[in-house]
């Protein structure tokens, strides 16, 4: 049985996607939030997942006492210092752009306003700078001229919810995978008889 911690400061939609993906698998999940009334903690309560409010200043002490196979940041809004990161072990994060473009806050809006034609989602290891750690996986979202911001944002979040659980599973298995494996395993939308509506291949 593997044990992961998912840390978030807000909504927790990625957390919920992760819980659903692992519900029949032998992975135990603990939800941690640095914001006492964050919706992610309410989701954890409703989903009957272990959860706790963990003030930022208590991270070092907590992770010195509690060991996880993987710590997953999902909308965690603080920068974690090096000594705390060391105590946490392996830490990954999801970011709503194709890094290294559009690091930091409001990445979805920044990419859209810049007029990029391809953006997407990145999962990366966490170091003590903002969104600079080694990239593990990326998935594109194409923006055509008729696309509205709301549609773009919704598609980014949909991709996040499909991508993150798969990548977490692979990282836990210590498996290296390439982009095509990722597309296949992430394909939950099959066009009738026409294959995946993203890559058209399976
Ligand atoms: C996501 O867009 C993620 O990429 C970014 O923060 C947002 C968290 O959303 N790091 P949620 O709390 O999982 O709904």
């Amino acid at each position: 049985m593997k044990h992961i911690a998912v840390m978030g400061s807000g909504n927790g939609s990625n957390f919920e996607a992760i819980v659903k993906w692992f519900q029949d698998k032998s992975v135990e999940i603990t939800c941690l939030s640095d914001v006492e009334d964050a919706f992610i903690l309410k989701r954890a309560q409703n989903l009957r997942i272990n959860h706790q409010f963990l003030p930022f200043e208590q991270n070092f002490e907590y992770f010195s006492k509690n060991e996880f196979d993987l710590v997953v940041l999902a909308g965690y809004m603080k920068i974690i210092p090096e000594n705390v990161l060391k105590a946490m072990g392996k830490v990954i994060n999801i970011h709503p752009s194709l890094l290294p473009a559009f690091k930091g806050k409001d990445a979805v809006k920044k990419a859209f306003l810049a007029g990029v034609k391809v953006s997407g989602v990145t999962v990366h290891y966490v170091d003590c700078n903002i969104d600079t750690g080694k990239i593990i996986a990326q998935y594109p979202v194409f923006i055509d001229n008729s696309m509205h911001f709301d549609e773009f944002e919704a598609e980014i979040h949909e991709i996040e919810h499909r991508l993150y659980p798969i990548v977490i599973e692979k990282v836990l298995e210590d498996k290296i995978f390439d982009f095509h494996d990722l597309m296949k395993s992430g394909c939950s939308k099959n066009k009738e008889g026409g294959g995946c509506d993203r890559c058209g291949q399976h």
Side-chain angles (χ1 to χ4, degrees):
M1 169 76 84
K2 303 267 185 187
H3 191 182
I4 66 172
V6 180
M7 301 179 79
S9 308
N11 178 26
S13 66
N14 279 284
F15 160 72
E16 186 155 343
I18 294 163
V19 169
K20 292 195 167 143
W21 178 268
F22 286 108
Q23 64 192 355
D24 300 320
K25 302 181 176 144
S26 58
V27 171
E28 193 186 333
I29 299 174
T30 296
C31 175
L32 303 167
S33 181
D34 60 319
V35 177
E36 197 163 11
D37 60 355
F39 193 57
I40 190 171
L41 290 175
K42 300 227 164 64
R43 288 189 198 252
Q45 190 177 7
N46 294 338
L47 293 161
R48 294 165 202 261
I49 298 291
N50 286 333
H51 59 281
Q52 86 175 65
F53 163 52
L54 179 63
F56 181 70
E57 307 70 41
Q58 290 174 24
N59 279 341
F60 182 77
E61 197 191 343
Y62 178 86
F63 285 103
S64 303
K65 286 184 193 148
N66 296 277
E67 218 178 287
F68 296 93
D69 294 290
L70 182 66
V71 178
V72 173
L73 304 187
Y76 191 72
M77 299 307 287
K78 295 215 171 72
I79 299 162
I80 302 169
E82 201 170 355
N83 66 323
V84 181
L85 271 180
K86 277 200 180 126
M88 291 166 85
K90 208 186 261 186
V91 186
I92 64 172
N93 182 43
I94 190 162
H95 185 75
S97 75
L98 293 180
L99 290 173
F102 308 110
K103 296 185 179 116
K105 278 187 190 163
D106 297 326
V108 183
K109 193 165 276 168
K110 283 188 212 154
F112 192 81
L113 292 178
V116 295
K117 305 303 170 204
V118 187
S119 189
V121 174
T122 302
V123 180
H124 62 94
Y125 288 108
V126 175
D127 60 20
C128 39
N129 295 308
I130 302 174
D131 303 324
T132 54
K134 192 166 191 269
I135 291 169
I136 304 168
Q138 292 187 309
Y139 202 101
V141 172
F142 298 96
I143 309 164
D144 62 38
N145 293 335
S146 64
M147 198 178 213
H148 291 285
F149 176 72
D150 292 354
E151 287 172 76
F152 171 56
E153 192 177 36
E155 193 163 344
I156 287 280
H157 291 309
E158 190 202 324
I159 296 293
E160 287 191 317
H161 300 159
R162 288 166 54 193
L163 180 68
Y164 213 9
I166 297 162
V167 175
I168 292 166
E169 190 168 285
K170 297 287 179 194
V171 171
L172 282 173
E173 290 168 358
D174 243 340
K175 279 202 182 130
I176 296 179
F177 49 94
D178 70 24
F179 188 67
H180 289 99
D181 292 336
L182 192 62
M183 284 198 141
K184 274 184 212 151
S185 55
C187 179
S188 57
K189 284 185 164 183
N190 283 306
K191 269 191 184 164
E192 247 178 312
C196 171
D197 67 353
R198 253 162 238 293
C199 63
Q201 280 177 0
H202 44 95

